[in-house]
């Protein structure tokens, strides 16, 4: 059975999370995204976004805040967190 977790993350991370395309991101955004990805891999063994919400919302507190990302438009990303041993 697939296990999933939802994270509210910056909307401008969508191309990078879904398609691996970081070309539109600033250096600070790439660094924050890389730190988030490293934490996901450490916790779940992977960082695989499988779905994203359609409606962005502007919020101050979101799941990328610990990585230095300020208030921004966010989307809810669903990640496959199934452990593969």
């Amino acid at each position: 059975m697939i296990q999933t977790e939802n994270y509210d993350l910056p909307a401008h991370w969508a191309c990078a999370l879904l398609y691996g395309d970081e070309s539109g991101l600033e250096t600070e955004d790439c660094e924050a995204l890389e730190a988030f990805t490293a934490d996901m891999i450490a916790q779940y063994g992977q960082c695989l976004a499988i779905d994203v919400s359609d409606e962005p919302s502007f919020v101050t507190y979101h799941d990328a805040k610990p990585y230095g990302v300020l208030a921004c438009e966010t989307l809810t990303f669903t990640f496959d967190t199934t452990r593969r041993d």
Side-chain angles (χ1 to χ4, degrees), residues 1 32 39 47 56-57 60 65 75:
M1 174 188 247
D39 285 349
C47 184
S57 58
T60 300
K65 188 133 180 98
L75 295 167

Side-chain angles (χ1 to χ4, degrees), residues 4-75:
T4 62
E5 293 288 334
N6 291 329
Y7 290 88
D8 293 325
L9 298 170
H12 60 274
W13 284 11
C15 283
L17 288 170
L18 296 170
Y19 308 112
D21 180 6
E22 297 180 356
S23 62
L25 298 179
E26 299 290 330
T27 302
E28 301 84 33
D29 290 316
C30 287
E31 291 170 354
L33 177 59
E34 288 170 9
F36 171 80
T37 300
D39 285 349
M40 289 289 288
I41 291 170
Q43 185 170 359
Y44 301 111
Q46 63 185 346
C47 184
L48 179 61
I50 58 173
D51 196 20
V52 64
S53 63
D54 292 332
E55 294 297 319
S57 58
F58 188 87
V59 295
T60 300
Y61 299 102
H62 47 73
D63 295 309
K65 188 133 180 98
Y67 305 98
V69 180
L70 302 177
C72 63
E73 291 280 325
T74 64
L75 295 167

